[in-house]
Amino acid sequence: MSGTATTEAPRKRRLKRKMAAIAAGLVSIGGVAGASVLVQNFMAAEFNAGAPPCLIKVPGSDVAFDGFAFDATGTTIVDGVAVTQEVVTIDGLTGDKVWSQDVYRVQNDCTVDLDVAIVSGAQSGDWAEKYLEVWLGDTAAPTDYPGIVAGEYDTAPLVFEAGGPTNATTGTVTVPAGTSVPVGLIVTTGSAAVGTGDATWTVQAEMP
């Protein structure tokens, strides 16, 4: 009897030690899993200037009309950097409404199709008796003026007027690589209109 008891005692002690070791291991693993972990992976970037822009604005055929002009030499400051800001000049005909199909064109010289919209319409200056709609073309060669034939221009033009703008963002038009779409205008000028109203907007493109 005593011999059996003596033989089993070390086994029990060894068993207790093994269980203690396992328990300690579980506590250790649990502690690591619950900790916050920070991993850093390093990269480098090279910022090269000099490549020409691939989304550009160019004069349309309607700048030949009296009082319309397109100037590509202007600049504006974005993020502390001077970037190109083309300027369209429109001399309204007092007492008349003027439609234009193609004052300037949004040209996609990129190698991919682009989803283009005109956004961030804002205005300042004198808009008494002045009304302006800016229409983004939905086809390269519209057959009629903005808002007349369905599908030729996006249906949501920018709208600038006294107390406006009343619509500051167009919809989106897909411009395939290597093609362009026109931007048309509708200009209404009151017979007693004087002064200058200024409007700004941004042509924005995204790869679909």
Side-chain angles (χ1 to χ4, degrees):
M1 295 288 294
S2 60
T4 302
T6 304
T7 304
E8 289 179 353
R11 291 181 182 174
K12 290 183 179 180
R13 285 196 294 272
R14 285 196 298 269
L15 183 59
K16 289 180 180 178
R17 285 197 295 269
K18 289 178 182 177
M19 292 183 67
I22 291 170
L26 291 174
V27 170
S28 178
I29 292 169
V32 172
S36 297
V37 178
L38 174 66
V39 178
Q40 292 183 331
N41 186 281
F42 301 96
M43 296 182 66
E46 186 175 276
F47 189 166
N48 295 316
C54 64
L55 179 73
I56 61 175
K57 283 84 73 184
V58 296
S61 59
D62 292 340
V63 295
F65 182 77
D66 289 347
F68 284 10
F70 180 89
D71 180 5
T73 64
T75 60
T76 188
I77 302 299
V78 177
D79 298 330
V81 178
V83 298
T84 302
Q85 182 182 55
E86 293 87 349
V87 177
V88 177
T89 301
I90 309 155
D91 289 342
L93 304 178
T94 54
D96 283 346
K97 183 174 185 176
V98 177
W99 280 264
S100 173
Q101 285 184 325
D102 188 12
V103 175
Y104 71 93
R105 301 188 72 86
V106 179
Q107 185 168 307
N108 179 9
D109 289 340
C110 305
T111 58
V112 296
D113 297 351
L114 295 174
D115 287 342
V116 174
I118 302 177
V119 302
S120 303
Q123 65 183 64
S124 61
D126 183 355
W127 282 88
E129 295 204 38
K130 301 180 186 70
Y131 178 89
L132 170 65
E133 294 180 0
V134 181
W135 291 74
L136 176 61
D138 200 12
T139 182
T143 62
D144 216 324
Y145 297 111
I148 294 182
V149 178
E152 294 196 337
Y153 290 86
D154 179 72
T155 58
L158 303 187
V159 179
F160 304 96
E161 58 184 327
T166 50
N167 189 53
T169 301
T170 68
T172 300
V173 169
T174 298
V175 183
T179 67
S180 64
V181 293
V183 174
L185 304 179
I186 297 177
V187 183
T188 307
T189 311
S191 57
V194 295
T196 300
D198 297 313
T200 59
W201 56 82
T202 300
V203 177
Q204 178 173 287
E206 184 175 6
M207 186 177 73

